């Protein structure tokens, strides 16, 4: 107890408990910060004091996300700040963040959208305290970015489905009821999970041959149902393994793609190429993806405190934030799923910061 209460907060453990209840009880429906403001409903406003960093200040950002280096010329998209309707976000303070996590560990678990957010966070910290020594290593599927002076580890476990994919005699089996991999997540001080983008993958890049659920092996099944089943397995893992006095648990939410202009009332747009500004309203014409409902439904069943980092709507408004042809695929690729850095994931992290302040 008290791991999260540093003496300089000058609060008693019981106050912390109340705060924790306000912040984290009610789980998915608790879309409010400690002071009661909904951080996920709002609009994007132009603010020339952004971005929080220049991409060139982070030599370790992978090519996938370095849009300017890949030739993107417009920069306006980096200068929008997320403005919740009823309050203003506290600007990210890297020193405060690493002090808060001194001697602690943070882990993002999920697919490349988790990598996007992981790189954003390490960059937000490094660019603000460039003289702080760091070490980037990789052990198996886990990438570890350690800020040595603070002994803060910011990690990424690449696990695109959260549940296990196991090589067996018949082939690679996606096991919806199995989450052995969770052993890597035990005891981490802050976990941020995500899975979605791989559930609809078919053809040569689908990384499994069979799907197993309830002891039955199938060639395929309804993908949304598979997603939900895996999330339920994950929810069971959280309830069985998380010690709320030690670990904070977040779910990243569904990061949206922009491949059809009809969904933002621009039917002539076939993808996100050439989009230079966000939508300036508070809602997205195309509505929210159904996967978000599934996720929220499952989060409501988790008994341990888990907070939804509900970035879907605010990211839907950012049709301008993707690499488009300035990503890994180059001119022939069209990436309207990931996000340029600096960019939208910085806001996800800024909100995360506000939720744990
Ligand atoms: C919280 O989110 C729920 C559903 O996502 C929504 O109905 C509710 O209005 C939100 N609460 C606030 C205070 O915005
Ligand atoms: C960031 O936090 C540190 C430590 O709390 C503080 O000294 C500093 O003034 C803050 N920086 C800004 C820009 O608020
Ligand atoms: C960086 O990490 C590697 C692998 O864990 C380790 O061998 C090395 O000593 C570390 N370097 C520093 C400066 O801590
Ligand atoms: C884009 O969305 C519109 C409206 O939902 C739909 O009619 C159209 O077929 C979609 N276009 C593509 C290429 O999927």
């Amino acid at each position: 107890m008290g791991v999260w209460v540093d003496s300089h907060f000058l609060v008693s453990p019981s106050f912390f408990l109340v705060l924790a209840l306000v912040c984290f009880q009610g789980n998915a429906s608790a879309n409010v910060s400690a002071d009661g403001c909904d951080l996920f409903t709002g609009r994007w406003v132009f603010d020339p004091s952004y971005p929080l960093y220049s991409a060139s200040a982070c030599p370790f950002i992978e090519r996938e996300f370095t849009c300017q280096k890949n030739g993107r010329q417009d920069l306006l998209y980096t200068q929008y700040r997320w403005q919740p309707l009823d309050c203003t976000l506290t600007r990210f303070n890297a020193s405060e963040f690493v002090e808060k996590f001194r001697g602690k560990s943070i882990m993002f678990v999920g697919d490349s959208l988790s990598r996007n957010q992981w790189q954003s966070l390490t960059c937000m910290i490094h660019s603000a305290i460039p003289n702080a020594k760091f070490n980037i290593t990789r052990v198996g599927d886990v990438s570890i970015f350690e800020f040595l002076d603070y002994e803060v580890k910011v990690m990424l476990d690449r696990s695109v489905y959260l549940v296990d994919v196991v090589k067996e005699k018949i082939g690679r089996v996606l096991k919806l009821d199995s989450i052995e991999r969770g052993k890597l997540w035990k005891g981490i001080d802050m976990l941020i999970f995500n899975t979605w983008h791989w559930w609809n993958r078919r053809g040569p890049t689908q990384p499994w041959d069979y799907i197993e659920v309830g002891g039955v092996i199938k060639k395929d099944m309804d993908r949304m149902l598979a997603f939900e089943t895996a999330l339920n397995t994950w929810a069971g893992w959280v309830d069985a393994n998380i010690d709320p006095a030690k670990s904070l648990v977040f779910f990243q939410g569904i990061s949206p793609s922009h491949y059809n202009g009809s969904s933002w009332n621009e039917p002539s747009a076939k993808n996100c190429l050439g989009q230079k500004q966000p939508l300036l309203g508070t809602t997205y014409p195309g509505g929210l993806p159904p996967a978000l409902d599934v996720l929220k439904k499952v989060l409501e069943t988790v008994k341990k405190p888990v907070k939804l980092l509900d970035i879907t709507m605010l990211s839907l408004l950012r049709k301008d934030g993707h690499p488009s042809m300035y990503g890994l695929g180059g001119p022939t690729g069209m990436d309207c799923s990931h996000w340029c850095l600096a960019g939208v994931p910085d806001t996800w992290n800024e909100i995360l910061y506000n939720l744990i302040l």
Side-chain angles (χ1 to χ4, degrees):
M1 185 55 228
V3 203
W4 284 92
V5 186
D6 296 348
S7 54
H8 64 260
F9 286 141
L10 296 173
V11 291
S12 69
S14 62
F15 174 83
F16 171 73
L17 257 180
V18 172
L19 193 72
L21 287 173
V22 172
C23 283
F24 292 102
Q25 210 73 39
N27 304 339
S29 58
N31 46 0
V32 291
S33 72
D35 60 3
C37 171
D38 172 4
L39 302 182
F40 303 107
T41 304
R43 52 168 46 92
W44 291 96
V45 295
F46 176 68
D47 183 339
S49 76
Y50 279 72
L52 290 169
Y53 57 88
S54 149
S56 60
C58 299
F60 48 80
I61 300 182
E62 289 161 32
R63 216 192 110 215
E64 199 167 357
F65 312 129
T66 53
C67 300
Q68 280 132 261
K69 223 176 179 175
N70 300 335
R72 184 168 178 173
Q73 306 265 323
D74 61 307
L75 281 174
L76 189 58
Y77 76 96
T78 65
Q79 299 197 293
Y80 284 89
R81 176 173 58 78
W82 178 245
Q83 176 64 62
L85 284 187
D86 299 324
C87 57
T88 294
L89 292 173
T90 300
R91 197 178 171 94
F92 183 77
N93 182 324
S95 320
E96 204 152 278
F97 188 90
V98 288
E99 280 302 345
K100 190 175 176 67
F101 282 92
R102 189 181 275 277
K104 291 185 176 154
S105 52
I106 298 166
M107 188 184 266
F108 293 91
V109 184
D111 56 28
S112 53
L113 277 314
S114 292
R115 188 160 75 243
N116 224 169
Q117 192 179 357
W118 171 70
Q119 292 232 298
S120 158
L121 181 60
T122 54
C123 194
M124 284 161 74
I125 299 171
H126 170 70
S127 59
I129 45 175
N131 296 326
K133 290 196 223 41
F134 65 88
N135 192 15
I136 312 178
T137 54
R138 188 165 167 167
V139 181
D141 283 330
V142 180
S143 303
I144 305 161
F145 195 118
E146 180 168 16
F147 291 94
L148 298 164
D149 306 331
Y150 302 88
E151 294 173 41
V152 176
K153 281 187 181 154
V154 187
M155 299 182 273
L156 171 73
D157 177 20
R158 183 175 188 277
S159 170
V160 301
Y161 297 109
L162 301 183
V163 293
D164 299 325
V165 178
V166 180
K167 278 204 183 80
E168 297 195 338
K169 269 193 221 120
I170 50 167
R172 299 160 299 174
V173 184
L174 171 59
K175 302 193 169 205
L176 301 184
D177 311 311
S178 173
I179 193 158
E180 290 294 313
R181 191 179 183 78
K183 63 181 183 292
L184 296 175
W185 316 332
K186 285 189 189 177
I188 304 285
D189 298 288
M190 179 161 80
L191 287 157
I192 306 103
F193 292 94
N194 140 60
T195 181
W196 166 241
H197 281 240
W198 284 69
W199 288 95
N200 276 314
R201 202 170 268 232
R202 291 175 168 81
T205 63
Q206 174 187 304
W208 49 269
D209 307 301
Y210 294 92
I211 194 159
E212 182 180 323
V213 56
V216 180
I217 300 228
K218 312 169 188 230
K219 193 64 194 150
D220 208 339
M221 65 183 280
D222 179 85
R223 298 301 183 87
M224 196 65 101
L225 183 60
F227 171 63
E228 182 172 356
T229 308
L231 283 178
N232 278 317
T233 300
W234 167 83
W237 181 89
V238 169
D239 279 338
N241 292 284
I242 289 295
D243 172 2
K246 158 112 179 126
S247 305
L248 293 171
V249 184
F250 291 88
F251 205 102
Q252 191 196 63
I254 306 294
S255 172
S257 303
H258 291 90
Y259 288 104
N260 185 343
S262 295
S263 63
W264 65 88
N265 292 339
E266 193 184 332
S268 60
K270 294 199 166 36
N271 51 51
C272 62
L273 182 64
Q275 297 295 325
K276 296 194 166 91
Q277 275 172 279
L279 292 165
L280 294 176
T282 59
T283 57
Y284 190 65
L288 292 162
L292 184 60
D293 290 330
V294 173
L295 174 61
K296 284 183 175 171
K297 193 171 100 183
V298 173
L299 288 179
E300 272 165 22
T301 70
V302 185
K303 289 171 202 73
K304 295 278 172 70
V306 176
K307 180 105 181 76
L308 176 61
L309 190 60
D310 197 358
I311 49 89
T312 307
M313 180 55 81
L314 65 91
S315 306
L316 275 168
L317 300 172
R318 295 308 305 272
K319 58 189 171 59
D320 58 329
H322 302 286
S324 67
M325 62 183 270
Y326 308 106
L328 257 196
T332 56
M334 190 49 63
D335 184 352
C336 299
S337 297
H338 298 108
W339 306 93
C340 298
L341 295 180
V344 173
D346 304 336
T347 295
W348 303 350
N349 284 321
E350 201 160 49
I351 294 176
L352 180 66
Y353 173 70
N354 276 259
L355 291 172
I356 61 178
L357 269 180

